[in-house]
Amino acid sequence: MRRRGGVLVGIGGLLLCLGSVARSEAPATPAATHTVLAPEDMKWADAPPIFVKGAKMAVLLGDPGKPGMFIVRMKLPANYKIAPHWHPTDENVTVISGSFAIGMGEKIDPKTKAMPAGSFFSMPAKMHHFAFTKKETVVDVSGMGPFTLTYLDPNDDPSKQAAAK
Ligand SMILES: [Cu+2]
């Protein structure tokens, strides 16, 4: 009996502890509504011109152009490359389908392992990294907006190439 009481107190303490963590992390102003998106409800468009042509993007949550949390889904064709770059904020990537390689460094390393669906990456702010696909791939990208991407080599920036033409 005593032992069982101890376990209960232990569980109670854990719940209290979890409760206080949840409370301290709760947003000051909770969202007014929840978001439910079936795949067919997602509004796909061409990814912004900072990405090489061929990528599609659907905003799932928030607005990547504004301050605050955002989540976008990106559909990338086979053999798509994102040249070495960095972001001012952390970037989180979940592979939904296909396979995605993300590597750290100043040059694309074709030997970087393409990670299968279900994989997760988190790149800290300002970390130099690159990415590529081998087959059509869908990823979710989340972070704190406003989202910006700076290529290490400005010649890799397709938005600048378009402007120069
Ligand atoms: Cu990135």
Side-chain angles (χ1 to χ4, degrees):
M1 274 313 239
R2 222 180 242 174
R3 195 183 266 171
R4 190 178 288 172
V7 168
L8 283 176
V9 167
I11 291 173
L14 179 65
L15 288 176
L16 270 178
C17 179
L18 288 175
S20 62
V21 167
R23 251 197 310 281
S24 66
E25 285 180 2
T29 46
T33 182
H34 66 173
T35 299
V36 180
L37 278 174
E40 60 269 27
D41 296 334
M42 294 172 186
K43 292 184 176 65
W44 290 95
D46 286 338
I50 192 82
F51 291 97
V52 170
K53 248 180 156 173
K56 297 274 180 189
M57 183 186 281
V59 176
L60 306 187
L61 193 74
D63 181 341
K66 291 184 180 155
M69 193 190 155
F70 72 86
I71 306 177
V72 297
R73 182 158 295 190
M74 294 191 74
K75 193 183 288 174
L76 310 169
N79 302 312
Y80 187 84
K81 289 184 182 69
I82 303 175
H85 64 274
W86 58 275
H87 313 279
T89 52
D90 297 354
E91 178 183 41
N92 308 303
V93 178
T94 302
V95 184
I96 304 294
S97 66
S99 66
F100 201 42
I102 299 183
M104 205 170 73
E106 276 71 41
K107 272 200 174 121
I108 290 192
D109 177 0
K111 288 197 205 84
T112 307
K113 190 174 190 294
M115 301 294 286
S119 302
F120 173 74
F121 305 88
S122 185
M123 277 69 65
K126 300 201 169 84
M127 190 188 103
H128 295 177
H129 59 279
F130 57 84
F132 60 84
T133 65
K134 290 194 166 165
K135 48 185 161 182
E136 185 182 87
T137 295
V138 176
V139 295
D140 278 2
V141 180
S142 68
M144 298 299 283
F147 176 86
T148 65
L149 186 161
T150 305
Y151 289 101
L152 299 190
D153 180 351
N155 291 326
D156 284 328
D157 185 341
S159 65
K160 289 195 175 132
Q161 287 163 13
K165 270 173 201 166

